[in-house]
Amino acid sequence: MADANSFGIAGLLGWPVAHSRSPVIHNHWLQKYGIPGRYLLFGVPPERLEPAVRGLSALGLRGCNVTTPHKQAIFPLLDRVDALARTIGAVNTVVVEKDGSLTGFNNDGNGFIQSLRDADPKWSPGSGPILVLGAGGASRAVVASLAAQGAKEIRVTNRTRDKAQQIADAVGSVVTVVPWEQRTDALDGIAMLANATSLGMTGKGALDMPLDRLPRHALVGDLIYIPPETALLAAARARGNTTVNGLGLLLNQARPAFNAWFGVMPEITPELLQAIQATF
Ligand code: ATR
């Protein structure tokens, strides 16, 4: 981190980045905690990633978030990547250390888990079997983070089975691969269901997931936040299950990043939620 008295700058490296809500979150916190600084969007095409990352320290940035298409490509440009981010195979946060070196983290999965814990404090990743739908980058972050936080059985199901198998290979024996056609059978006895497919998102296809076999006490999370309540979450809520959408991930992944860059662990307040909701 640069001199604590200086104007602190952090930002998002991605291509494109214009849609991001991260500036709303971080700039809200900078203002709330009276920290002089700014969170900016940096549209960086793939061929400019290397000079952009090399420039982080030289420009005095505290760090950055990383999004599509740079989450994997940034690995060789960093001095170290923490173990969870390595298992996930993607970095979403970079911290510029005091000596100018760069450390990569991935807070996405932990952010999602924190939002589930907030919704149901009795639940933890070790509470019982978990079913995760999908095996893209978001799924991999969630599955690896659940395993790191003590999950004992994570069932992963995906249309393309190979991708679910790759997650199982990377994360270990707590992961079992369930054929996509058998996804409703895999609801039996679970304590948490997470949708990490893009199905149910505005403009995408519908998720076909009857919930008859879902235990009543199971938590249901969806990584999607547009719309704020997917058909899956609406159906789960109607049967009495506690539900969580993807906004919790967005907000909770930002907290440890802000803390690493600016030295304050920020709170998710009703004012922040209102500021985010105003962007929809
Ligand atoms: P992200 O990085 O957000 O995880 P992604 O890597 O594109 O995005 O992953 C999208 C997920 O949604 C994948 O699990 C994908 O399944 P495949 O691996 O088989 O592509 C899933 N998905 C997208 N459209 C789907 C569909 N029509 N039916 C079933 N799964 C679908």
Side-chain angles (χ1 to χ4, degrees), residues 1-3 52-63 77-80 94-104:
M1 204 202 277
D3 175 4
V53 172
R54 299 266 174 253
L56 292 174
S57 167
L59 290 169
L61 267 70
R62 303 290 174 88
L77 306 175
L78 302 175
D79 297 289
R80 67 197 73 75
V94 174
V95 174
V96 179
E97 309 288 355
K98 282 198 177 67
D99 63 0
S101 65
L102 305 177
T103 309

